[in-house]
Amino acid sequence: MKKLWQMLTKPSSKYSILALVLVGIGITLAGVLTVHKSFEFASTTEFCTSCHTMEQNYEEYKQSIHFKNASGVRAECVDCHQPKDLPGKLQRKLGAWKDVYNHFITKKIDTPELLEEHRLELATAVWDRMKSQNSKTCKSCHSYDAMDHSKQSAQAAFEMNKAAAEDMNCIECHKGIAHELPNMAGGFQKDFEELQATANTQGAVAETLYSLSEKSIFAVADANSTVSGNLLPASEVTVLERDGDMMKVKIDGWLEKEGRGRVLTEYMGKRVFKATIRGDVKASEQLLEEQTDATTNIVWQHVSVEGWITKDDMIDDIQPIWNYAEGMYGSTCTACHAAPAPGHFTANGWISSLNGMSAYYRLSKTEERTLLKYLQNHGSDTGGAGAH
C-alpha cells in the first residue's frame, strides 16, 4: 500500500498524480460548463433568428398562437425543433450543419423568393423528422393525458380522443401551426411532368398502356373526327394498331345490362369508372361474359370495345401513376388533418368521402379523377393492391 501511495503522490519529481487528476477534473468541469452554456446560447430564439434567412420564418412564427396567446405561454424555436433529451439535442445540433452549409455556401434560401421555391422541401424535411420522433417535441408540452376534453369543442374532443387512443403523431393534423404552409401541389405536379416526359417514349412501343390523363376516343384514326367516348385517367388499354400519332386500342370493362350502357367500370358492381363509350365505339362492343351481382341482383356484362386515341400521355406501367397519386393524396389530404388509409373505405365509399373533402383542396378535374381512381383501386373491397 505504501508503494501504491508513493506512486499516486509522486509519479514524477515535478507533478503528483493527484495534482494531475485535479487538473483533469477542472478541465472536465470547464468543458462541461462551456458545452452547456454553448447549447443554452445556441438554443435561444434570438440565436435561431439571427441569420437573415430566418427573418421570414420568424415573422410567420410571431403571427402564430405559439408566439402570443391568452395564457401567455410561449413556445420558442427549440421547443418545436429540438428534443429535450440529450441524445436528441446532440443529433439535432449535428444535423444543423446542413443549415450552416446552405446559409454560407449554397445560399439556397438567401431571398424570400428562394425560400418560397424550397418551402415544400424544407417543410417536408421537418415533418418527416417530427414523424420519426412521434412528435416528441410537441408532446413535451401537449400531453394527451393532461387534456380536458370538456373544454374542447365537440369536434375537437372527438378527434383528440381518437388521436390519444392511437398515440397519434401530432404533425399529422397540425401542419402549418407556426409557419405558412407551402404550395402542396408543387411536388406531385412535378412528378406528373416527369411521367409525361417518360410517356413520350413508352407509348410508342408497349402493347399494354395506362392513361395519365383523360383522353378522347375516336372511331377512326383522326383526332379531328367526332369524339365517340372518353378514356379516364389510370385506365388500361391494349394496343392493336399504330398509325402515326394515333393508336387503335381495345378497352374492356363492365356495363350494367339494363339502361343506356355507356359507362365502362373496372369491376362488376363498383363505380370505378374506366371509360365512357358512344356512337361507333359503342357499336364495336363485344360481349365477353355476363354475371349477376349477388348483393344487388343487377346483371352486369363484361365487354370490350375498340377505338382510336392519340399516343401521348400513355405509360406502360400503372405503378408510377399510383406513386404519383399517393404523393398527391399525401400533399392535399393530409395538409390539414390525418387522412385515412386508402383501405379504410370501399371503392364506392371513396366517392362520397372524397367529395366531402373537395372544399378543402384545389385539384384539377383530371387530378381529382386520378386521385379517386388510386383510392378506389386500393380500397377495402378491391384487394388494396391497386390491381386492375
Side-chain angles (χ1 to χ4, degrees):
M1 290 296 294
K2 186 177 180 180
K3 289 183 178 180
L4 177 61
W5 178 252
Q6 288 178 340
M7 184 179 69
L8 290 173
T9 56
K10 296 181 179 180
S12 70
S13 59
K14 192 171 183 181
Y15 301 108
S16 70
I17 284 184
L18 286 178
L20 294 174
V21 168
L22 290 174
V23 169
I25 291 173
I27 293 173
T28 301
L29 290 174
V32 169
L33 182 62
T34 301
V35 170
H36 173 73
K37 287 298 182 181
S38 298
F39 260 95
E40 193 175 76
F41 172 71
S43 297
T44 61
T45 295
E46 291 72 22
F47 176 83
C48 294
T49 58
S50 60
C51 296
H52 74 275
T53 50
M54 289 294 106
E55 288 176 1
Q56 185 169 336
N57 287 324
Y58 183 46
E59 291 303 316
E60 293 169 4
Y61 156 67
K62 288 199 295 184
Q63 303 306 312
S64 74
I65 197 170
H66 277 139
F67 182 81
K68 195 171 186 179
N69 51 69
S71 64
V73 178
R74 178 173 295 171
E76 305 291 349
C77 298
V78 293
D79 292 322
C80 297
H81 293 281
Q82 181 176 290
K84 299 292 188 291
D85 58 289
L86 183 58
K89 283 183 180 181
L90 291 172
Q91 185 180 28
R92 186 67 205 101
K93 288 301 183 187
L94 290 173
W97 73 267
K98 290 185 290 186
D99 300 328
V100 176
Y101 176 77
N102 287 321
H103 178 78
F104 289 104
I105 307 300
T106 68
K107 308 290 185 182
K108 189 173 183 177
I109 55 171
D110 205 46
T111 65
E113 293 76 19
L114 285 172
L115 173 62
E116 289 305 321
E117 181 182 339
H118 294 285
R119 187 184 284 272
L120 176 60
E121 173 194 343
L122 298 171
T124 300
V126 174
W127 295 338
D128 287 346
R129 183 168 65 248
M130 286 184 164
K131 286 178 183 178
S132 70
Q133 300 168 345
N134 196 26
S135 296
K136 66 180 179 181
T137 53
C138 305
K139 292 175 182 176
S140 65
C141 292
H142 302 279
S143 168
Y144 285 126
D145 294 335
M147 291 181 184
D148 185 350
H149 298 305
S150 67
K151 294 182 180 179
Q152 298 172 336
S153 68
Q155 183 62 35
F158 176 75
E159 296 295 341
M160 290 308 301
N161 271 307
K162 289 197 304 180
E166 301 173 12
D167 192 24
M168 188 179 288
N169 199 331
C170 305
I171 201 64
E172 294 291 341
C173 299
H174 294 286
K175 295 182 177 75
I177 195 68
H179 300 289
E180 290 181 12
L181 280 170
N183 176 11
M184 304 299 287
F188 68 79
Q189 287 178 347
K190 183 178 180 181
D191 292 341
F192 184 77
E193 291 172 1
E194 293 174 355
L195 282 178
Q196 282 187 310
T198 304
N200 292 334
T201 57
Q202 293 183 348
V205 294
E207 297 305 313
T208 300
L209 295 173
Y210 303 88
S211 51
L212 290 178
S213 59
E214 186 172 340
K215 299 179 66 68
S216 297
I217 307 174
F218 307 93
V220 295
D222 182 2
N224 295 315
S225 62
T226 302
V227 176
S228 296
N230 290 285
L231 182 68
L232 296 179
S235 296
E236 179 184 314
V237 302
T238 301
V239 180
L240 303 175
E241 183 182 341
R242 285 181 169 85
D243 184 357
D245 290 335
M246 303 292 292
M247 296 188 298
K248 186 177 184 180
V249 297
K250 180 175 72 173
I251 310 166
D252 71 274
W254 293 86
L255 294 170
E256 284 191 53
K257 185 175 182 179
E258 300 296 329
R260 305 176 72 176
R262 291 185 177 179
V263 181
L264 283 174
T265 63
E266 296 276 3
Y267 311 92
M268 179 185 71
K270 297 178 177 62
R271 298 171 63 198
V272 185
F273 302 136
K274 188 171 186 178
T276 60
I277 54 175
R278 55 187 181 273
D280 291 338
V281 171
K282 168 70 174 171
S284 71
E285 182 181 305
Q286 297 290 319
L287 179 63
L288 303 177
E289 60 177 315
E290 189 172 284
Q291 291 188 27
T292 300
D293 185 353
T295 59
T296 61
N297 288 323
I298 295 176
V299 179
W300 290 81
Q301 293 182 327
H302 189 195
V303 304
S304 68
V305 297
E306 295 180 5
W308 291 82
I309 61 173
T310 56
K311 69 178 185 180
D312 59 298
D313 283 0
M314 300 296 293
I315 194 168
D316 66 357
D317 185 5
I318 190 64
Q319 191 56 47
I321 299 179
W322 294 154
N323 294 342
Y324 151 67
E326 183 180 16
M328 190 192 316
Y329 186 52
S331 296
T332 57
C333 298
T334 64
C336 304
H337 60 84
H344 185 75
F345 296 110
T346 64
N348 290 344
W350 266 115
I351 298 174
S352 59
S353 298
L354 197 60
N355 282 340
M357 292 188 286
S358 61
Y360 303 100
Y361 60 71
R362 295 293 181 267
L363 296 176
S364 69
K365 186 56 66 176
T366 296
E367 289 170 340
E368 186 174 11
R369 286 174 173 168
T370 304
L371 176 57
L372 177 59
K373 197 77 166 285
Y374 160 73
L375 294 170
Q376 290 181 305
N377 275 281
H378 293 76
S380 60
D381 59 346
T382 53
H388 283 69

